[in-house]
Amino acid sequence: MAAETEEDLLLKSFMSEVSEVERDNEVTRILSCFKLNPFEHLKLSFDSSVDEVKKQYRRLSLLVHPDKCKHPRAKEAFAALAKAQQLLLDPPEREYLLSQISTAKQELKLKRKKELKKGNASKIKAMVDEGKYEQQYEQSEEFKQELKIKVREILTEQEWRRRKMAVRVYYPIFISEEEGRLKKDEEETKEMWKRKREHEEQWEETRDGRPYEHLVMTQVSSWRDFMKTGKKGKKGEIRPPKLKTEDPNKSYVQRPVKRS
């Protein structure tokens, strides 16, 4: 009998350890959920009813309750579940979430139809026309995962818009001053480039009337002519001395140029 009691105690200890691991895993799961989607926190499908929300909250909250769970972040997970339930039980918030989920579904369906139109499977096309293929697709794990990702994208975009509007509402003076400063800097930059462009145009227009410019252009022209003609001397002039190769001493001699 004593042996059986020890075995029972060992079994209870083992079960408590397993339960504790499950609690820790649940805390980790809740804290890693997408913060803007309360359905993920409560591990519910998007079409769950209000009663299902309440039932699931009770079950998960008991699992991660700080008094029963030893995980150091159990309190955070418990608070996240409470907030998720609050959002799903609040009619305006629930309506907003369901509208975003509906938008995500429509976008996925439209994308799916475009992909199917490119195929040549007549059987699939017939099923699409009858509405059977859409039902099978929406019930598949592939669609559920795609919908989950799409809902995240839409909720993230909407939250970013909401925060930008909140900044404009709460800090209108700061926003207007910053926009005014940026606009002023932009106008000053445009004016600077405009003045520079006008100065360059005036410089080009008055080039011929500047004596120094004319002198420089004349010198450039003379130099170009000199480079074209080379170093040819005039008729009657003596050319530079050339090396007379037959001279053993390789001395230089001056030979006159034949006159015509």
Side-chain angles (χ1 to χ4, degrees):
M1 190 70 179
E4 292 180 357
T5 304
E6 291 178 1
E7 186 176 350
D8 291 341
L9 292 173
L10 183 62
L11 180 61
K12 288 181 181 180
S13 175
F14 175 75
M15 291 301 296
S16 65
E17 290 178 4
V18 171
S19 178
E20 193 62 37
V21 170
E22 290 178 352
R23 293 174 187 275
D24 291 346
N25 290 340
E26 188 61 24
V27 170
T28 304
R29 184 198 69 80
I30 293 171
L31 295 178
S32 62
C33 285
F34 180 57
K35 294 182 180 181
L36 301 177
N37 188 357
F39 286 100
E40 287 191 28
H41 286 87
L42 292 174
K43 212 173 180 179
L44 289 170
S45 60
F46 293 131
D47 56 353
S48 299
S49 64
V50 174
D51 291 336
E52 289 174 332
V53 171
K54 294 178 180 179
K55 186 184 296 184
Q56 183 73 343
Y57 169 73
R58 284 195 297 269
R59 188 179 74 82
L60 295 180
S61 61
L62 290 174
L63 195 62
V64 301
H65 197 284
D67 294 341
K68 299 180 180 181
C69 181
K70 297 179 181 179
H71 195 285
R73 300 185 66 186
K75 189 175 181 179
E76 295 179 45
F78 184 78
L81 289 178
K83 183 178 180 181
Q85 180 191 226
Q86 180 184 1
L87 291 173
L88 292 178
L89 294 182
D90 183 64
E93 290 291 341
R94 183 182 178 86
E95 185 66 26
Y96 166 75
L97 289 169
L98 294 178
S99 66
Q100 303 307 313
I101 293 169
S102 177
T103 301
K105 283 183 178 180
Q106 293 300 323
E107 291 186 10
L108 290 178
K109 288 180 181 178
L110 183 61
K111 179 183 176 182
R112 188 71 171 181
K113 286 183 178 180
K114 289 181 179 179
E115 292 176 352
L116 291 174
K117 285 181 180 179
K118 298 178 181 178
N120 296 321
S122 58
K123 184 177 180 181
I124 293 180
K125 289 183 179 180
M127 292 175 65
V128 171
D129 295 336
E130 295 175 2
K132 296 179 181 179
Y133 191 81
E134 289 185 3
Q135 294 176 2
Q136 294 178 5
Y137 174 59
E138 290 180 18
Q139 294 173 359
S140 65
E141 289 297 325
E142 178 186 359
F143 176 78
K144 291 178 181 178
Q145 289 299 321
E146 290 180 353
L147 181 61
K148 184 178 179 180
I149 295 172
K150 195 66 180 178
V151 168
R152 285 185 178 186
E153 293 177 359
I154 293 177
L155 289 177
T156 301
E157 183 179 354
Q158 294 296 328
E159 178 64 15
W160 173 241
R161 291 179 179 177
R162 186 191 66 79
R163 292 188 182 186
K164 286 197 297 185
M165 292 300 297
V167 170
R168 290 182 175 274
V169 170
Y170 289 108
Y171 303 100
I173 298 176
F174 172 77
I175 294 296
S176 60
E177 289 180 353
E178 185 67 14
E179 289 178 348
R181 186 184 65 80
L182 293 175
K183 187 176 181 181
K184 182 180 179 181
D185 292 344
E186 184 180 358
E187 291 177 353
E188 289 179 354
T189 303
K190 289 181 179 179
E191 184 65 24
M192 180 189 69
W193 284 107
K194 182 181 178 182
R195 289 196 301 267
K196 184 177 180 181
R197 199 163 47 248
E198 291 176 351
H199 176 72
E200 291 176 353
E201 291 175 356
Q202 292 176 0
W203 178 265
E204 291 294 331
E205 291 175 357
T206 59
R207 169 181 287 183
D208 297 336
R210 294 192 297 272
Y212 174 77
E213 185 74 17
H214 178 70
L215 178 61
V216 171
M217 295 302 297
T218 303
Q219 292 178 351
V220 171
S221 178
S222 301
W223 173 256
R224 289 175 180 171
D225 294 340
F226 172 75
M227 293 300 293
K228 288 180 181 179
T229 57
K231 299 181 179 180
K232 294 181 180 180
K234 296 181 180 180
K235 292 183 179 181
E237 292 181 352
I238 298 176
R239 294 182 180 179
K242 293 185 178 180
L243 177 65
K244 190 175 182 180
T245 55
E246 59 269 20
D247 186 354
N249 297 325
K250 296 184 179 180
S251 59
Y252 289 93
V253 296
Q254 183 173 323
R255 291 183 292 182
V257 179
K258 293 181 180 181
R259 299 179 180 274
S260 57

